[in-house]
Amino acid sequence: MNQASRAPTAAIIVIGDEVLSGKVEELNARFLVRELRALGVAVRRIEVVPDVHEEIAAAVRKASAAFDHVFTAGGIGPTHDDVTIAAVAAAFAVPVVRDSGLAGLIREVSGERFFERDLRMADVPEGANLIRGEDTRHSRWPVIAIRNVYVLPGVPSILQRKFAMIRERFAAAPFYCRQIFSRESEGAIADTLDRAAADFPNVAVGSYPHLDATDHKVLVTLDGRDEPAVVRACAQIVAGLGKAVVRVE
Amino acid sequence: MNQASRAPTAAIIVIGDEVLSGKVEELNARFLVRELRALGVAVRRIEVVPDVHEEIAAAVRKASAAFDHVFTAGGIGPTHDDVTIAAVAAAFAVPVVRDSGLAGLIREVSGERFFERDLRMADVPEGANLIRGEDTRHSRWPVIAIRNVYVLPGVPSILQRKFAMIRERFAAAPFYCRQIFSRESEGAIADTLDRAAADFPNVAVGSYPHLDATDHKVLVTLDGRDEPAVVRACAQIVAGLGKAVVRVE
């Protein structure tokens, strides 16, 4: 794969017993996958881990080393099951420290409803970056980041607002995509796909049986950052499939 | 945690570039989480990995060692991006062999629509278990399993039919659950929850802010296989929360 076509990579680590127990539907990874995709970032891993310090720390440490960007979602409130900050700090072997600016903000915002425990939300890994959006109407609360790890909350509406604060920094070159609908089964078209995948190593060729479709059997997808390569791979597959092609999008 | 309360654990490994690129909504992990939960199995990890041999093999090897059951979803068709069988075999350092029974079935079912490439679907890791359901109306195709790893397809309707063939073997003791709705914020109730979590180590205490709810601020959940412990933990939290309790379910 040539340098120009290499997309920045990302991993998403969802922290939450509630997802693993099926109590809540997982919305955050789905949101981040689409946002990052639109930005030209290739998500290479999604992991859902329980609210367990060691497991989060291990997942963060590994993902931080393997991918360009890492996003964690969940586990940053004031309760006993909110262990993400400590785990992310542990992943990089740094202590957790209380940020005085955040602590002041918590006291100010809470007013009479202040609880000592809320100050846990002012705790950050030592050396963390507190990223504030340009548009402070959106949030006075910064996104906490350390190295290439961005710590996001688990409540989907807040996660989305926070991500909006940092999304521009991930903008990369976009992906080019084509879809080919085939009336023949995967077995019938596999050789053609194999050849295209081998001939165009920087184009990702996907093949998905659509059992419930009436006008086609398989959706073939092509994706890459090298537009001419995507176009040529598409033409080669369309030629190879011949009459099997229902349509190209 | 005492022995009686230890639930069997499971990991789900979703294989698919289409999920990582946001092209399809992930339905299989969601389905398996709920099914396994209902069976009394605790899902401790969900991983979404790309269609890459080495990454699938590494994830399977690790999950097989760490959890009681492992389920893979996706990547078992006849096309170039279907690499799960080879990766699962590699995870256990066994070769891939062609199963003659499966090969015969493929030829028989395909009839005139037979393609040599379809025989790839008769390939299994050496030593694999081919599990057939009691009720063969549902499927003539077995579930391929090796050690504690069950290899399931990515098409949701087929995955669900396959899982129905094997689900009874995972039946364990059920979970007992309670939900407490609190009109106070997490900061206000965190001490009470901490205490309960410490006093009842075999009850999982969860705390989820519900920002959009009108009658409560936080949902507190209690889960465990030891019913009396769940009941006592619930009573302790309800007493601690006092007037903050909106209702208990």
Side-chain angles (χ1 to χ4, degrees):
Chain A
M1 210 172 279
N2 61 52
Q3 192 53 34
S5 71
R6 186 194 171 279
T9 59
I12 299 167
I13 300 173
V14 175
I15 293 136
D17 288 352
E18 70 275 26
V19 174
L20 292 172
S21 63
K23 276 184 211 152
V24 309
E25 207 175 311
E26 207 298 300
L27 299 173
N28 291 326
R30 233 189 300 172
F31 168 81
L32 289 172
V33 156
R34 289 186 190 163
E35 287 284 311
L36 290 165
R37 173 91 185 164
L39 288 162
V41 177
V43 175
R44 300 280 296 168
R45 186 67 55 111
I46 301 169
E47 249 185 291
V48 186
V49 301
D51 302 326
V52 175
H53 180 95
E54 295 73 24
E55 299 194 33
I56 301 167
V60 167
R61 190 183 308 116
K62 205 173 144 194
S64 171
F67 305 101
D68 295 323
H69 312 299
V70 178
F71 301 88
T72 70
I76 59 169
T79 61
H80 69 283
D81 54 356
D82 293 312
V83 296
T84 299
I85 290 291
V88 170
F92 298 118
V94 299
V96 171
V97 295
R98 186 148 293 177
D99 183 83
S100 58
L102 279 180
L105 187 58
I106 290 168
R107 286 178 188 279
E108 180 197 325
V109 169
S110 306
E112 289 187 1
R113 309 285 304 148
F114 172 75
F115 294 93
E116 196 64 31
R117 282 293 293 268
D118 290 334
L119 288 179
R120 278 191 61 185
M121 288 187 290
D123 290 346
V124 302
E126 189 175 77
N129 241 322
L130 304 193
I131 306 170
R132 286 179 172 82
E134 308 258 314
D135 182 353
T136 50
R137 280 173 311 175
H138 282 317
S139 182
R140 301 172 71 188
W141 302 96
V143 173
I144 297 167
I146 178 164
R147 304 200 198 171
N148 59 344
V149 178
Y150 298 82
V151 179
L152 298 170
V155 176
S157 58
I158 307 184
L159 175 135
Q160 292 173 22
R161 213 161 57 212
K162 294 269 185 202
F163 187 77
M165 289 164 57
I166 56 174
R167 78 188 297 281
E168 283 316 312
R169 61 177 60 208
F170 307 111
F175 285 96
Y176 299 97
C177 313
R178 288 288 183 284
Q179 297 191 317
I180 303 166
F181 296 82
S182 162
R183 76 181 92 246
E184 296 287 351
S185 66
E186 284 201 305
I189 66 174
D191 286 341
T192 299
L193 302 189
D194 271 9
R195 227 168 4 247
D199 291 348
F200 298 94
N202 59 355
V203 176
V205 180
S207 165
Y208 308 108
H210 281 187
L211 301 188
D212 299 328
T214 51
D215 69 337
H216 67 278
K217 285 194 179 145
V218 181
L219 166 63
V220 176
T221 63
L222 296 97
D223 296 277
R225 299 157 74 83
D226 177 352
E227 190 174 15
V230 173
V231 170
R232 279 183 290 133
C234 184
Q236 176 172 321
I237 292 174
V238 167
L241 264 55
K243 289 186 184 164
V245 176
V246 176
R247 65 181 185 282
V248 181
E249 288 179 2
Chain B
M1 208 172 278
N2 61 52
Q3 193 53 34
S5 69
R6 186 195 172 278
T9 59
I12 299 167
I13 300 174
V14 175
I15 293 136
D17 289 351
E18 69 275 26
V19 174
L20 292 172
S21 63
K23 277 184 212 154
V24 308
E25 208 174 309
E26 207 299 299
L27 298 172
N28 291 326
R30 232 189 300 170
F31 168 81
L32 289 171
V33 156
R34 289 186 190 163
E35 287 284 310
L36 290 165
R37 174 89 186 166
L39 288 162
V41 177
V43 175
R44 300 281 295 167
R45 186 67 56 112
I46 301 168
E47 250 185 289
V48 186
V49 301
D51 302 326
V52 176
H53 180 95
E54 296 71 25
E55 298 194 34
I56 302 168
V60 167
R61 190 183 308 116
K62 205 173 143 194
S64 171
F67 305 101
D68 295 322
H69 312 299
V70 178
F71 301 88
T72 70
I76 59 169
T79 61
H80 69 283
D81 54 356
D82 292 312
V83 296
T84 300
I85 290 290
V88 170
F92 298 119
V94 299
V96 171
V97 295
R98 185 147 292 176
D99 184 83
S100 57
L102 279 181
L105 187 57
I106 289 168
R107 285 178 190 277
E108 181 195 324
V109 170
S110 305
E112 291 187 0
R113 309 285 305 146
F114 171 75
F115 293 93
E116 195 65 30
R117 283 293 294 267
D118 289 334
L119 288 179
R120 280 192 60 184
M121 289 187 290
D123 290 347
V124 301
E126 189 176 77
N129 241 322
L130 303 193
I131 307 169
R132 287 181 170 82
E134 307 257 314
D135 182 351
T136 50
R137 279 174 312 175
H138 283 318
S139 182
R140 301 172 72 187
W141 302 96
V143 173
I144 296 168
I146 178 164
R147 304 199 200 171
N148 59 344
V149 179
Y150 298 82
V151 180
L152 298 171
V155 176
S157 59
I158 308 184
L159 176 135
Q160 292 174 22
R161 212 161 58 209
K162 293 268 186 204
F163 187 77
M165 288 165 58
I166 56 174
R167 79 188 297 279
E168 283 315 313
R169 60 177 60 205
F170 307 110
F175 285 95
Y176 299 98
C177 313
R178 288 288 184 284
Q179 298 190 316
I180 304 166
F181 296 83
S182 161
R183 76 180 93 247
E184 297 286 353
S185 67
E186 284 201 306
I189 66 173
D191 286 341
T192 298
L193 302 189
D194 272 9
R195 229 170 0 250
D199 290 350
F200 299 94
N202 59 356
V203 176
V205 180
S207 165
Y208 308 108
H210 281 187
L211 301 187
D212 299 328
T214 52
D215 70 336
H216 67 278
K217 286 194 179 144
V218 182
L219 165 63
V220 176
T221 62
L222 296 97
D223 296 277
R225 299 158 73 84
D226 176 352
E227 190 173 15
V230 172
V231 171
R232 278 183 290 132
C234 184
Q236 177 172 319
I237 292 175
V238 167
L241 263 55
K243 289 184 183 165
V245 176
V246 176
R247 65 181 186 282
V248 180
E249 290 178 359

